[in-house]
Amino acid sequence: QVQLVESGGGLVQPGGSLRLSCAGSGFTVSTYAMSWYRQAPGKERELVASITNVGDGTNYADSAKDRFTISRDNAKNTVYLQMNSLKPEDTAVYYCNALKLSKVYWGQGTQVTVSS
C-alpha cells in the first residue's frame, strides 16, 4: 500500500526554523519527482518546492527561494523540507507529493504555524 507521511510541523516564532519530513512506503521515493505544497486558510494549494528523480534538480517558489531547501535521503526513502527564516505568511498545512508518469500520491499534511 502506497503511503506518504509528513511530520515535523508545529508552532514556531517568526525567524525560526523547522524541518519537515515525508516518509514514503509502498514505493521508492528516488524514482519519483517529489514536491512540497502548502495550503493556507482561504487559499488554494500552491507549490513550494520540488526535486526531480534525475540528478536531484530542484525548483522553488519565489516565496521560498533562499529560505527553504528540499532534499532527499534515498536510504531512508524520505524527502525533507528545511525551512529557515520563517514568516507568518508561511503558515499553512504542508503536503508531500510524489509523481511519476500517470501515478500521483499525496500525504495527509502537517500544520506549520508561524506566530509571535
Side-chain angles (χ1 to χ4, degrees), residues 6 21 24 38 55 73 89 95-96 98:
E6 300 97 335
S21 298
R38 69 186 181 189
D73 186 336
E89 51 263 44
Y95 297 91
C96 184

Side-chain angles (χ1 to χ4, degrees), residues 1-114:
Q1 185 76 359
V2 171
Q3 190 175 26
L4 290 172
V5 180
E6 300 97 335
S7 62
L11 175 64
V12 65
Q13 293 186 338
S17 298
L18 286 173
R19 188 181 71 161
L20 306 183
S21 298
C22 173
S25 61
F27 76 106
T28 303
V29 164
S30 65
T31 67
Y32 284 69
M34 303 295 298
S35 299
W36 287 95
Y37 288 75
R38 69 186 181 189
Q39 188 166 23
K43 295 187 176 181
E44 295 184 352
R45 189 172 300 184
E46 64 176 347
L47 178 65
V48 178
S50 62
I51 184 167
T52 70
N53 59 345
V54 180
D56 284 347
T58 58
N59 288 285
Y60 299 92
D62 288 341
S63 61
K65 198 172 184 65
D66 299 323
R67 297 190 300 123
F68 294 4
T69 302
I70 187 170
S71 62
R72 190 199 318 261
D73 186 336
N74 293 334
K76 296 182 178 180
N77 210 40
T78 299
V79 173
Y80 303 96
L81 184 67
Q82 178 67 45
M83 304 188 294
N84 299 324
S85 302
L86 284 162
K87 306 173 181 178
E89 51 263 44
D90 295 318
T91 295
V93 177
Y94 284 71
Y95 297 91
C96 184
N97 169 272
L99 175 66
K100 183 173 69 174
L101 300 177
S102 62
K103 298 181 179 180
V104 57
Y105 307 124
W106 289 94
Q108 296 297 310
T110 184
Q111 177 71 48
V112 172
T113 302
V114 185

